[in-house]
Amino acid sequence: MSTQTLSRKRKLKKPRKASRFKHAKKVGLPPGTLVHVGEVKTEQPLVTVFDYKADAHSEQSLTVEQALTLTPPVHGIRWVNIYGLHDPTLIAKLGTNFGLHPLVLEDILNTSQRPKVDSFEHNLFIVTRCFQYHTTELDVTSDQVSIILGKNFVLTFQERPTGAFDPIRERLRTSGSSLRQSGTDYLVYSLLDMIVDRYFIVLEQLGDDCETLEDAVLHKPTTATLNSIHRLKRESMELRRSVWPLREVVNHLIRNEQGFFEPNTVIYLRDVYDHTLHFIESLEAIRDMLSGMMDIYLSSVSNRVNMELRALTVVAMLFMPATLIAGIFGMNFEIIPWFHHPHGFWFAITIMAVIALIMILIFWRRQWLTRPDA
Amino acid sequence: MSTQTLSRKRKLKKPRKASRFKHAKKVGLPPGTLVHVGEVKTEQPLVTVFDYKADAHSEQSLTVEQALTLTPPVHGIRWVNIYGLHDPTLIAKLGTNFGLHPLVLEDILNTSQRPKVDSFEHNLFIVTRCFQYHTTELDVTSDQVSIILGKNFVLTFQERPTGAFDPIRERLRTSGSSLRQSGTDYLVYSLLDMIVDRYFIVLEQLGDDCETLEDAVLHKPTTATLNSIHRLKRESMELRRSVWPLREVVNHLIRNEQGFFEPNTVIYLRDVYDHTLHFIESLEAIRDMLSGMMDIYLSSVSNRVNMELRALTVVAMLFMPATLIAGIFGMNFEIIPWFHHPHGFWFAITIMAVIALIMILIFWRRQWLTRPDA
Amino acid sequence: MSTQTLSRKRKLKKPRKASRFKHAKKVGLPPGTLVHVGEVKTEQPLVTVFDYKADAHSEQSLTVEQALTLTPPVHGIRWVNIYGLHDPTLIAKLGTNFGLHPLVLEDILNTSQRPKVDSFEHNLFIVTRCFQYHTTELDVTSDQVSIILGKNFVLTFQERPTGAFDPIRERLRTSGSSLRQSGTDYLVYSLLDMIVDRYFIVLEQLGDDCETLEDAVLHKPTTATLNSIHRLKRESMELRRSVWPLREVVNHLIRNEQGFFEPNTVIYLRDVYDHTLHFIESLEAIRDMLSGMMDIYLSSVSNRVNMELRALTVVAMLFMPATLIAGIFGMNFEIIPWFHHPHGFWFAITIMAVIALIMILIFWRRQWLTRPDA
Amino acid sequence: MSTQTLSRKRKLKKPRKASRFKHAKKVGLPPGTLVHVGEVKTEQPLVTVFDYKADAHSEQSLTVEQALTLTPPVHGIRWVNIYGLHDPTLIAKLGTNFGLHPLVLEDILNTSQRPKVDSFEHNLFIVTRCFQYHTTELDVTSDQVSIILGKNFVLTFQERPTGAFDPIRERLRTSGSSLRQSGTDYLVYSLLDMIVDRYFIVLEQLGDDCETLEDAVLHKPTTATLNSIHRLKRESMELRRSVWPLREVVNHLIRNEQGFFEPNTVIYLRDVYDHTLHFIESLEAIRDMLSGMMDIYLSSVSNRVNMELRALTVVAMLFMPATLIAGIFGMNFEIIPWFHHPHGFWFAITIMAVIALIMILIFWRRQWLTRPDA
Amino acid sequence: MSTQTLSRKRKLKKPRKASRFKHAKKVGLPPGTLVHVGEVKTEQPLVTVFDYKADAHSEQSLTVEQALTLTPPVHGIRWVNIYGLHDPTLIAKLGTNFGLHPLVLEDILNTSQRPKVDSFEHNLFIVTRCFQYHTTELDVTSDQVSIILGKNFVLTFQERPTGAFDPIRERLRTSGSSLRQSGTDYLVYSLLDMIVDRYFIVLEQLGDDCETLEDAVLHKPTTATLNSIHRLKRESMELRRSVWPLREVVNHLIRNEQGFFEPNTVIYLRDVYDHTLHFIESLEAIRDMLSGMMDIYLSSVSNRVNMELRALTVVAMLFMPATLIAGIFGMNFEIIPWFHHPHGFWFAITIMAVIALIMILIFWRRQWLTRPDA
């Protein structure tokens, strides 16, 4: 896929990131007021409930109305997943039923949070983000995923169905799996692990486009290449900025000061921490790569200026002497050398040709007729 | 709105920031001397008093004379708000009545403080700043807002009426609101929350102008664009520098070492902290964006140099050969080829045209006649 | 004041900073050897003594000989100030009388110290620096000010009389002032406060010159402007480097681990700390401003190259076609069109004029005849 | 070896680093699933076992089948080394036999780990990397080396046989060596020391190529040089990024919180720590060197533009006046000076020559005919 | 001394720093193997012994053979200084006699160590570096100086005799000196103080060359100037990198956790710490200065391009109109204005001259005939 195509497609798409710096909608409202801030990405909220214990499991899909009566389970573990966050009533009711702090509900609805963890007496509130990379637009978008870890329940809030947690559901359906044997903390770990694993898909796509651009910048740099480099750089920096706090979040979970996690699960969380670090470092490698490409682009522009200038100089040096000689023999004097000679005209032409040949020889030896640095 | 307009308007406005690095007015005076440092932004100081408890509230607007007798309330909570800081007598009297440290009074009057928190035995002194963004001048100005948190009173000092705290007054008037149920600490949290929320309005305006500039730099970059980029960059860096210490201030409040805040309010302060971090990160995103735009601008200048040079080369290559041929046939010899031929003149013209056509063909195939990187 | 004038004046002045990296004078001498390192800035050392208690005060001016017998006071507080540090004998004798460590004496005499604080059993040794900004030379020079805080005495050592401490003497003469009521720690705080306050005078002057330069760089940038920008940048960075450690010094005093300061004075020291931070941040704002100006300068140079190139291209495009036409009608053939026509000459001229007019029209529509980005 | 050769060879080689940002293979699998991630670098896994105590030692080479029954030794120390990690069954069986955590096995198989140390109750898991520098391709590749330190066994996992540990085997065969006298902790130290020592071989090769490039950039800079600089810069930054966490790993081992190391061995680990720091600093020196070379390259391009422009100017100044004179004497008037003079033609030629000579003289005195800065 | 001379001399010198990134010589040897790594800088190792107590002292110069029997003294303090480190036998024997750890001996012999301090039970091992600046080659070389502080002995190892410690010997010979009165810790402090003091000699020389370069870059910048700037920048960065860890070393000594230093000596060590900080800051000032010079150089190149271009434009504008006029009057028509006029030729010349004069007037008013920014 060529960068021109990329860039042309990009121009056609609708204005994006209109809401990049939007946050002002709620100014003036008291804290805890539940207002959805962000784009509505799904038509109808969808609630799925997964009840399980070591020897049994059941799944339900609920409408908003049915979901209003959901409570923590009497026995076993309940995982409630909500797709679509634009219905404050649903969120408020669930908050009351599951004993959540008003600020937690507010944060769930405000979908431009940075990753963070807040611990309360009975539950832990984790905000993370999922990313999608749109290769034709060189654009990274993100959804907020909020996770609440309670004693015997886990709530997850996503902006729209992405299928990200399907492999976990699959493992939950398998009776002997470690997920079924373990508590809610292990489920939360699995969700985090899944989210971070998916980061590497974005990384891979980003890396592929970087390499395409690198080829372009080495062989046929255009302004569109420059713009694409800038775009990718910006996106990778924004990605880094979004993931960076997650490092601290996972680290906080590992310190496990409130004891929400089993010691065994903490070992697994260290693994998530390593992946997060690895991801951040890879992003830095991409950023360095892009910076280098920028330098190569700029130096290639300078080289082109040089080449143009050389072409101009060569032309001037070839034609100016000849033009002067023609002018000399065009002077009006009574006595001009070779005037009467039958081959006088050709003598003059020969002189011009000889000078031009000498010039070309000089240029050739100085390698001025080839590219400056082939 | 075009950037030219922006920039032209900017030139017309009066010299601003005359006092940007002014601080020297007080040099040599003993500490605690009350002198107003800064611009006078309101004609007459205005004092509003809001007394409330869970089941009652009353509001008064006082003149400076009336305000001199204000004291902490006997019961309930008293919130005194002062607009206009250029009357040291008023501030001094209030300081005595409410038991404030002389340095606190000095800091209130010196309106170029950076955000900070100072704790005293009986009260807490918080300095923050409010920002206004003037889009036509690409200029951010700021007011100092000082807050004093006492056991049963809150004092706020602003440089002029901005209406920033009106929504809080509205909530105070509602009898069942959490503000009415809570103590002074929750009122101070609400004030801080309101101030930080308003930062995002500035951020949004700044972001909009950034995007306008980005369009300009991609499609029609001028020196005015460059100057606007520089201006916005400077303002965003100054904004960041002003807000950065607020992070530490809120963090200090969260640590709550003197116990001025209820545990429940601390949870809300964490929310303010998150917002502050979010704001700072968004500012960094804006700064990165502006840096990228600068690079694109500079590379577009280089590209234009290149294009000019190419135009010159093309012209020289088209006309120099033809001029030489004309010169050759203008030489004075007895015997010149085609001299007597009835179409000799046209033969020469034809040779010129053919050479020019070949040149144009070469240029066309090398894509030199189009923009260098369309 | 124009920047050219600035820069011309700068060239005339004598080579400064000859001793910028000089420190080697003392290499090989045992530690504690008292040698004056630095420029001699005053002819004759001058000693002033200020004795005071809450209800009395007396002042004396002593010669070097008289000063040799000075000792800590029997009762009350004694403040000894020495101007001029090139007399090691005086310093050594004072050191013995007041019980100072040999290294302290060495540091007092070596006037290129960075700000620091050293605590000893019976006294505290503080090194700070005073700055002067010379606007005609865009140059910041500095004096070392050493302060020793003892139980009932304060010693200050300055390189020359600057009048910096005169307001403090004035306040000491006022019987009811807080300085008279307090101990030596409050006097030391007042001295530090005075020193830091005076930094803002330098800052203001620096800021003024920055704004002059900004005007110059936007309207008429020259190489002299560039050099001035560089100079100011260097000076502001050096200033920052000199003041930066003062932050840590004041912070150390605030921690007050040896209890040299009363709790009440510590509150005042926090104020000095805030001022120091404010100063450092303002310097960073100046540095950012200067960096931005540098970028604008460089881009204005590129723009000028572009304008020159355009002028050349326009000239070439106007004259080359006309010259070719003249050449064509100058060819020697028997049959040349319009040769016999009475207005043939004017026909040719007309063709040239028309082509030139078309060219001008094209240039005008492309806005090539105006400045590239007016 | 010239840089052109380097660069040409580089173009021929197959696309490398295809898997640089690949990590996505495992997304969706439960943690602890053993899948080999990375390139298969050896055909058949190879297992070597080294049993030793102070007075005896024995070596064996096992096939995969034989290795499946390996267990910790009954007495003495057992060092098991595995080359080739693409057989999950073998790793899983060894994991069970030696009591390793599932995550450890997963990390061993995923060969793009960053250096880290994980401590478990009975063993310590260390991940490091070995580097190879391919000078013709200016490319650094790396293998993962995993080390497990148990009470009486050490396991090492490498991606392919490199002979890196041969000197350690040799020392183990020597009966009096300190390795034979010490425990498993000293063996692990020796392995780490060997790995870090080999880093300096890579550093030396990298440094050599840097110096070759520096010569090239000073004497004959081409675009290929620029690309090589960029490549080396990128590789050195990536190398630094890979080694940087090792610092923290070794530091963690030195803190020795679980007591896996004897106090005496910790002293040796400090030595490894010093080497790691030294390596990182040398890499930074190389990066600084490469940045400097980049600047010199860019400035040499600018200088070349300048030289071309000068050549053009010289040519124009030499020929334009002469051409004008020829044109003047070519004008058609009845009365032209020197028209009838027998040497008129030569007079005109002489004027041209004199003007050209004067020009050359001027150029020569301004040193325009030599290189701009020879 | 001109920079050209500097640069020419530099080209002549032999390839230096061949061993800059060499460290690989020892790879594969067991730890503690004594191999000398580095350049041999002295022919024959030389050992000097200095025994002293408060009331007596004696000096000896020993050959290698005699030195093999050296042991810690029975009473008093013994300072053994070794010049030349290429005899592992000597170092090994001394190590045994004075009870040094094998790793210490290894580090002494490996002369590319970074500054560090290692503490053992009975002694302290300090590695520092001495620097020499070679002004003709703009090159900083360094020697390693290792110091071992024992209870009653001090060992110092230098690569060659430099006379650096002569002033200390002189003071040791003086019976009443503080060195003679104090223990080994004070001697070690004196050695460190001497080493750091000598850094300022290098700093001064470096600063002098910087100022020479600054003059050159402001008045006559050449490529050689650029290369010198780069060279100095690199050397100052390498110097900084070598001295930076010394800061931490001295800080470690000040913390004095093992009690090797008397409280009184610690006060003196703080002085060394201050000097180290001062040195590092001065180096940063030099680096900033060099960066600024680089920017000025690059902008001067741009200015020169501009000047060339202006020269070309001026020439083109002067000659093109005149050439066109000559061409016009050279056209072949029957009727040409002024053809028969006796002064027709001179009329044409006059028109050319008038146009040229008008052009010159325009250039002069636009200040194009002077330097662009004089």
Side-chain angles (χ1 to χ4, degrees), chain B residues 21-35:
Chain B
F21 302 112
K22 301 272 184 268
H23 189 269
K25 190 175 167 183
K26 282 191 54 182
V27 173
L29 294 181
T33 313
L34 296 186
V35 178

Side-chain angles (χ1 to χ4, degrees), chain B residues 98 100 162 198 208 248 309:
Chain B
F98 286 85
L100 307 183
T162 56
R198 287 171 65 94
D208 283 351
E248 195 37 49
L309 203 50

Side-chain angles (χ1 to χ4, degrees), chain C residues 22-24 30-31 103 112 114 116 223 226 230 234 237 241 308 315 322-323 326 329-332 339-340, chain E residues 171 189 200 204 214 268 274 277-278 281 285 288 292 296 299 306 310 317 324 327 331-334 337 373:
Chain C
K22 301 273 185 265
H23 188 270
L103 277 178
S112 61
R114 54 203 294 282
K116 67 167 183 174
T223 309
L226 179 67
H230 266 297
R234 190 166 105 187
M237 279 159 82
R241 211 175 284 122
E308 303 277 327
V315 167
T323 304
F329 285 104
M331 291 192 295
N332 294 321
F339 182 78
H340 300 288
Chain E
R171 269 141 66 189
Y189 148 69
F200 288 90
E204 203 176 315
E214 197 174 39
Y268 284 93
D274 286 341
L277 279 194
H278 191 179
E281 284 182 358
D288 289 343
I296 291 186
S299 110
N306 208 14
R310 180 161 294 174
M317 285 188 169
L324 175 61
M331 291 191 295
N332 294 319
F333 289 105
E334 264 189 3
D373 42 31

Side-chain angles (χ1 to χ4, degrees), chain E residues 64 93 100 114 118 137 154 177-178 196-197 275 288 364:
Chain E
V64 173
K93 197 71 178 69
L100 308 182
R114 53 201 296 280
D118 277 345
E137 307 165 9
V154 169
S177 68
S178 51
V196 172
D197 266 5
H275 288 186
D288 289 343
W364 182 77

Side-chain angles (χ1 to χ4, degrees), chain D residues 122-134:
Chain D
H122 299 298
N123 50 53
L124 203 64
F125 173 51
I126 304 167
V127 178
T128 63
R129 303 195 74 77
C130 270
F131 299 96
Q132 298 86 36
Y133 180 67
H134 308 279

